[in-house]
Amino acid sequence: MSTQHTQTDPTTQYATDIPVEQVDHPGLTEDLRTRPDHGEQTYRGSGRLEGKRALITGGDSGIGRAVALAFAREGADVLVVHLPEEEQDGQETVRLVREAGRKGVAVAGDLRSREFCTAVVEQAVSELGGLDVLVNNAAYQMVQDGIGGISADQLERVFATNVFALFWLCQAALPHLGPGASIINTSSVQAYQPDPGLMDYAASKAAIVNITKSLAQELAPKGIRVNTVAPGPIWTPLIPATMPADRVEEFSDLVPLGRAGQPAEVAPAYVYLASQESSFVTGERIGVHGGMPLP
């Protein structure tokens, strides 16, 4: 069986054309006709995260699920956070974690609440016995026709989910993180190549890049590393749940490798940043975007 270590032509590793479809937000994996690859059949662990305890937001589907699965197969216990309406996906992620022989916990809630962010960190510490890795991955976006279409409610939701929650989770997690711990934030190519239809989302992702660099400098003396992964177009339920059909059809057109990426192709970057292999890497960005030029 091929794994993430098997040499493969990246231009043909996955289908270049994904059938256009749309689902209601927030989107469940089972609603997609074309299911994303989270590494269920291909990710092989090698003990790189043995004994670590990780909290992953947005861990129910897409990139978050792929990261949770990879972490578990590398030896980590995992708590994933998801919205209440994503309970089904959250439980499936936990099933994959437990199938890998690790402890898995799913917690439903809204990260726009500072109180919930604090509570879920405390729950992770209690149920996992501590915390070594924080992955701030949850995000909200909704395509609009330029700045005029962005309501105050949407702007607040985007920044509360993508930026404020990251602040609150980091603040709550820091007292529990020791030397060797890692914070990994999910940014995006949108931080560097903003799409006018995703102006608010792109601005929030640019903020995440800036926060990552600043926090990395603050925490370096404590031996805590902070990095970001910047994915390009990745096929997850978020795409057809937040974009009109014509945008879904063209959302990967600018990728030099000629296709959208899969969550399973992003997860190894998080494994690297969570592992001791990246011990001298902090304040850095890893782009996983199929060759889209970034500054």
Side-chain angles (χ1 to χ4, degrees):
M1 182 182 72
S2 63
T3 71
Q4 78 272 25
H5 304 298
T6 306
Q7 182 169 316
T8 308
D9 181 346
T11 65
T12 59
Q13 186 171 345
Y14 293 96
T16 55
D17 294 319
I18 296 177
V20 176
E21 53 183 299
Q22 289 188 280
V23 298
D24 293 332
H25 187 270
L28 296 175
T29 304
E30 76 162 10
D31 294 336
L32 301 181
R33 296 195 306 273
T34 304
R35 298 289 179 87
D37 178 15
H38 308 98
E40 291 94 336
Q41 305 302 319
T42 58
Y43 192 93
R44 185 182 71 199
S46 55
R48 297 164 70 192
L49 303 179
E50 197 68 43
K52 288 188 180 292
R53 290 99 22 121
L55 188 164
I56 303 171
T57 67
D60 53 290
S61 64
I63 293 172
R65 178 183 291 183
V67 172
L69 183 153
F71 275 22
R73 291 187 181 175
E74 294 291 353
D77 294 329
V78 179
L79 183 146
V80 299
V81 183
H82 58 83
L83 291 170
E85 53 266 42
E86 297 169 327
E87 180 71 26
Q88 179 178 326
D89 271 355
Q91 291 302 323
E92 174 59 16
T93 298
V94 165
R95 186 191 69 80
L96 291 167
V97 169
R98 293 172 178 169
E99 189 178 72
R102 306 307 306 182
K103 184 168 187 176
V105 180
V107 179
D110 192 335
L111 292 167
R112 289 178 292 174
S113 161
R114 182 174 188 172
E115 292 72 22
F116 175 70
C117 289
T118 300
V120 79
V121 168
E122 295 300 326
Q123 185 171 350
V125 171
S126 174
E127 299 215 29
L128 303 182
L131 189 62
D132 304 294
V133 184
L134 171 62
V135 178
N136 291 304
N137 173 69
Y140 175 77
Q141 68 173 36
M142 189 64 68
V143 169
Q144 298 292 344
D145 185 18
I147 192 171
I150 300 174
S151 67
D153 286 346
Q154 173 168 318
L155 186 63
E156 290 174 4
R157 181 172 183 178
V158 167
F159 273 82
T161 304
N162 302 1
V163 180
F164 297 170
L166 182 152
F167 257 92
W168 296 328
L169 287 160
C170 288
Q171 287 176 333
L174 277 177
H176 305 286
L177 299 177
S182 178
I183 297 174
I184 309 169
N185 301 319
T186 301
S187 54
S188 170
V189 296
Q190 289 292 329
Y192 305 92
Q193 295 186 6
D195 182 331
L198 290 169
M199 183 181 297
D200 49 353
Y201 174 80
S204 75
K205 292 299 184 176
I208 289 172
V209 172
N210 190 279
I211 292 166
T212 297
K213 293 180 179 180
S214 180
L215 191 58
Q217 294 177 73
E218 176 187 338
L219 299 184
K222 299 181 179 180
I224 300 170
R225 298 179 297 104
V226 188
N227 293 286
T228 181
V229 177
I234 307 297
W235 182 243
T236 74
L238 186 69
I239 300 305
T242 62
M243 293 184 176
D246 60 327
R247 293 293 299 270
V248 174
E249 186 173 20
E250 64 186 23
F251 94 107
S252 62
D253 285 355
L254 298 179
V255 179
L257 284 180
R259 61 173 178 83
Q262 293 290 330
E265 297 179 282
V266 188
Y270 291 80
V271 171
Y272 169 67
L273 291 174
S275 75
Q276 194 61 27
E277 296 167 33
S278 59
S279 60
F280 204 55
V281 179
T282 192
E284 191 53 80
R285 172 201 77 198
I286 295 182
V288 187
H289 43 62
M292 298 176 70
L294 301 184

